[in-house]
Amino acid sequence: MLELRNITKIYNPGAVTEQRLFENFNFTVDEGQFVCIVGSNGSGKTSLLNIICGSIPVEQGDVLIGGKSIAKLKDYQRYAQMGRVYQNPAAGTCPGLTMLENLSLADNKGKPFDLRRGVNRRRRDEYCQMLRELGLGLEDKLDVKMGALSGGQRQAVALLMATMTPLRFLILDEHTAALDPRTAETIMALTDQIVREKKLTALMVTHNLRYAAQYGDRIVMMDQGRIVLDKAGAQKAATSIDDILGMFNRICISCGS
């Protein structure tokens, strides 16, 4: 179980632009849940993910996994059990390296550095099979540099890289937002497949309300650092996109957006 306990987060403290986003904020995610997080800009969605991953500090509170605090761990230490896919397809891969080199780096995640070669060519056939299962024709492009691939192809590889090693949590930060509609559909289907097959706990921030309604088993809507909608299981399944859109519009109107 993942738990955020009594989190307080203040941006620009003491300045004219001070923003108190979270105050004594609590949030719990059960093992194996696929949570879709929606909300307007500035609602705290990405900040929530950054706090979980240790990318930004907090003024108060604790982050716990399985009842044990990880608050003092650096972000790279937390990533030993987390994978993250970003909005920008370039953020999760190295564009100047080949796909084989990128996959080898991801394959070595959490392993000690030494003087061995970074690329494990004995795993080439296994990498080809992993890529073949994506259904994007990438299995023949292992020696192509990542920067030469399309955004959708890079995002598919980034998703694969994030989940190659054993992990418990998958963090998805608007990972389809920069893609065209057809490619976004492909990436979402791959995401759902990977989460189910690997039995991951997943948190997905998205602006696509249809994805929030269609995927996952829990939906959370945020507004100004607060949770204003939280439905899971049967309640989530009974929530339509019109229900989500109606509440979203009411929030936007009330804040003048």
Side-chain angles (χ1 to χ4, degrees), residues 185-204:
E185 295 288 342
T186 300
I187 296 301
M188 274 307 311
L190 287 172
T191 299
D192 187 62
Q193 177 184 337
I194 289 173
V195 170
R196 302 303 174 190
E197 289 180 352
K198 294 182 178 286
K199 296 180 173 59
L200 300 175
T201 302
L203 290 89
M204 179 178 77

Side-chain angles (χ1 to χ4, degrees), residues 10 14 34-35 43 56-57 65 90 107 147 154 163 201 219 230 242:
I10 304 173
F34 185 170
V35 185
S43 62
I56 59 174
I65 292 179
D107 208 6
R154 292 177 72 172
T163 56
T201 302
I219 183 169
D230 190 350
D242 290 335

Side-chain angles (χ1 to χ4, degrees), residues 34-91:
F34 185 170
V35 185
C36 298
I37 305 172
V38 297
S40 59
N41 291 332
S43 62
K45 307 182 303 297
T46 297
S47 291
L48 175 65
L49 299 188
N50 285 332
I51 289 170
I52 292 171
C53 294
S55 303
I56 59 174
V58 295
E59 280 63 41
Q60 175 185 304
D62 202 357
V63 180
L64 304 96
I65 292 179
K68 296 182 179 179
S69 175
I70 62 169
K72 293 184 179 180
L73 296 182
K74 302 294 185 183
D75 54 356
Y76 71 89
Q77 294 173 312
R78 301 189 194 199
Y79 282 129
Q81 52 189 329
M82 295 180 185
R84 186 170 185 175
V85 185
Y86 298 85
Q87 177 178 341
N88 183 354

Side-chain angles (χ1 to χ4, degrees), residues 131-139 141 152-153 156 186-187 190:
L131 293 168
R132 186 175 293 110
E133 291 174 359
L134 297 179
L136 296 174
L138 292 170
E139 60 271 17
K141 300 182 184 295
Q153 290 174 325
T186 300
I187 296 301
L190 287 172

Side-chain angles (χ1 to χ4, degrees), residues 236-255:
K236 195 270 183 183
T239 303
S240 69
I241 186 172
D242 290 335
D243 296 330
I244 303 170
L245 182 60
M247 186 166 191
F248 185 82
N249 286 337
R250 287 193 296 273
I251 291 172
C252 290
I253 291 171
S254 67
C255 67

Side-chain angles (χ1 to χ4, degrees), residues 1-2 29-34 65-66 168-169 199-201:
M1 183 174 72
L2 171 68
V29 179
D30 292 334
E31 196 81 17
Q33 273 193 331
F34 185 170
I65 292 179
R168 297 175 62 184
F169 301 96
K199 296 180 173 59
L200 300 175
T201 302

